[in-house]
Amino acid sequence: MISSYKAATALGNRTLSELGDCTRRRGDMPGFAKAITAILGAMRGEDEQEFNMTRTVLSDPVLTQKVLRLANSGMYSAFGQHVNTVSKAVLVLGTEAIGHLALGLKLIEELAATSTDTTVAHIEMEKAVLAGLVAQQIAYTAESRHGEEAVVCSMLHTLGRMMLTYYMPERWNELQRLADESGRTVEAAAPELLGVSLEEVGHAAAAHWGLPKSLLNGMRTLAPVEAGEEISPADWIAALSTMAARCAESLWHDDADGAEKVRQLTESYAGMLGVEAPNLIHAIEQAKVIAANDLSIAPLSRPAERRAKALAKTRQRAAGNKILLSGLSDMRDVLDSASPGQMVQIALETVYKGLDFSRAVAFVRNRKENKYAAKISFGEGTRELLAAMTFDDAYEPNVFHAALNSDRVIFIENAHDAKFSAKLPLWWRSSLAEARSFVILPLSANGQPAGFLYGDWDESFPPIQLSQTEFSLLNDMRAMVVRAVERRHGVVSEVVAR
């Protein structure tokens, strides 16, 4: 029980005992304690460690999807590799990385599920999620192998605030009044009112759940040290979780004062984290983009505006399958008479309208010049970019050549992911970098790449997920174009270039 965690004062012990009583009455973050028991058990297993983790992941469809997506991301997977099973994902990622991912996911799920009672609790829980997003992007930028652990520690860094606002809202209100009257932060005022710090409240809850000591160690507050001073991995995680939590507090309102505080934090922690301040700022900006779509009540997310936009886009997507089906019907009608170039144009128009792309471009291969070049496009400003969208057909380790070599539709959910964006080709970054998500539809004739269709969505769209039906329709469309190309014994590039 939380009350078994001993504080330094009698008042502190009474506070923890009262908190323990509240958690027993209301439920210990319903489902979370049970979930982490299974996750930690799988992480601690010996002979059957991988099997236990696989079984734990497969018991949760959402976690299964997250693990497979991570295993197939640019962070862990070589281009062309496709991880289809959780068993293989566990081997690729390791049980520790998956365990931390699972803990973070379960925490977010439980915070979301239990945060509807009070707005104050919901705010603290969303700040915890925001801290996790900041830590994630910074860890990617730092190329740290402790990234997933740092994300969990960052979300748990303010666990004491979350526990108090959720289980003891009256005591939280008292604490805020005391802090306001004395001109202190709630953290500074907590020992006077509670007899225990908010950090200790969080550690008591984490210890009660049986979280590993390494996570408890990473949850502690750590002030910045002088640049160049050697720090341990444990201190690096604690420093990042401290900075991420403070950034989340400052980012919440998305105002100028908060931005200045974030700038000061990056200057203070840059040397300790081994990442230059401008790169920290860039990583935090990436986290803000993700947070604007993941959070629901933060001013940063502008929820009312986002919900209205998401509703409009959802309605458009609902009509999109009808457009794809109609386009396929048109392609079948003209298959025997249309040229490959005409089929490409119909296909490109269909996917542009049906998937509500911001931009759509058809690339064709010119074998004589050994290049791929953009020939047809839809979307604002794309015509002016056509000349810049060209690249050599010699293989390079990027997602476009991976799609062409595998002859498989590739969907990129977040092109701004720090690990992934660094591997995108220069021609894409100089012409199409406004895209957040994109799709590549390779076209191969007689076993050789002939070109591809490209479509993307910019930041004005809510997060995109393609359904299996949409993937199936896209593959049918590809097959129709390829049949036209092979029937004419030509290549798309020769026809479209005329």
Side-chain angles (χ1 to χ4, degrees), residues 172-186 188-189 192-193:
W172 174 259
N173 291 335
E174 287 180 52
L175 179 59
Q176 282 196 310
R177 280 195 297 273
L178 176 62
D180 290 342
E181 290 169 1
S182 59
R184 292 177 288 175
T185 64
V186 290
E192 179 182 337
L193 180 69

Side-chain angles (χ1 to χ4, degrees), residues 16-234:
L16 294 179
S17 178
E18 184 180 345
L19 183 58
D21 291 340
C22 291
T23 59
R24 283 192 296 274
R25 287 197 305 269
R26 296 193 60 180
D28 194 4
M29 288 279 187
F32 185 59
K34 180 180 178 181
I36 66 170
T37 298
I39 293 164
L40 294 174
M43 290 174 71
R44 293 168 182 153
E46 295 178 359
D47 295 338
E48 296 186 339
Q49 187 179 42
E50 286 82 9
F51 174 73
N52 289 337
M53 183 60 78
T54 298
R55 185 171 53 192
T56 300
V57 170
L58 286 173
S59 68
D60 186 329
V62 176
L63 181 56
T64 297
Q65 178 191 17
K66 291 268 188 181
V67 166
L68 289 175
R69 185 186 303 169
L70 182 64
N72 283 290
S73 71
M75 289 180 288
Y76 291 96
S77 174
F79 285 108
Q81 179 182 350
H82 191 69
V83 179
N84 297 295
T85 65
V86 172
S87 298
K88 185 175 180 182
V90 171
L91 295 177
V92 171
L93 302 176
T95 55
E96 186 174 346
I98 291 181
H100 291 136
L101 175 69
L103 286 173
L105 177 63
K106 286 299 179 186
L107 178 64
I108 292 173
E109 284 181 350
E110 290 304 324
L111 298 187
T114 60
S115 63
T116 56
D117 291 57
T118 68
T119 301
V120 175
H122 196 167
I123 287 172
E124 292 303 321
M125 291 167 179
E126 283 208 351
K127 284 179 183 176
V129 174
L130 178 55
L133 293 172
V134 169
Q136 182 184 58
Q137 294 302 312
I138 292 175
Y140 288 166
T141 301
E143 298 185 347
S144 171
R145 61 189 180 88
H146 306 291
E148 297 299 337
E149 185 175 355
V151 170
V152 177
C153 291
S154 297
M155 288 190 291
L156 292 172
H157 191 84
T158 56
L159 181 58
R161 293 170 66 112
M162 288 185 276
M163 295 294 289
L164 211 62
T165 54
Y166 181 66
Y167 289 109
M168 303 170 70
E170 299 84 3
R171 192 64 62 87
W172 174 259
N173 291 335
E174 287 180 52
L175 179 59
Q176 282 196 310
R177 280 195 297 273
L178 176 62
D180 290 342
E181 290 169 1
S182 59
R184 292 177 288 175
T185 64
V186 290
E187 282 79 11
E192 179 182 337
L193 180 69
L194 306 176
V196 67
S197 70
L198 292 178
E199 183 173 307
E200 287 176 303
V201 173
H203 280 217
H208 163 63
W209 289 334
L211 293 182
K213 289 183 180 179
S214 61
L215 290 185
L216 269 71
N217 197 28
M219 292 164 57
R220 61 196 160 92
T221 298
L222 196 62
V225 299
E226 292 295 325
E229 185 176 330
E230 289 289 328
I231 65 169
S232 66

Side-chain angles (χ1 to χ4, degrees), residues 216-268:
L216 269 71
N217 197 28
M219 292 164 57
R220 61 196 160 92
T221 298
L222 196 62
V225 299
E226 292 295 325
E229 185 176 330
E230 289 289 328
I231 65 169
S232 66
D235 282 351
W236 188 90
I237 292 170
L240 177 52
S241 72
T242 303
M243 178 192 167
R246 291 175 177 174
C247 280
E249 183 73 24
S250 300
L251 290 170
W252 178 258
H253 290 288
D254 196 26
D255 57 15
D257 288 344
E260 174 58 23
K261 290 177 182 175
V262 168
R263 188 195 66 76
Q264 294 172 7
L265 283 167
T266 60
E267 293 287 347
S268 299

Side-chain angles (χ1 to χ4, degrees), residues 389-402:
M389 290 188 281
T390 180
F391 60 95
D392 292 340
D393 65 2
Y395 179 81
E396 293 180 2
N398 64 54
V399 69
F400 293 92
H401 280 290

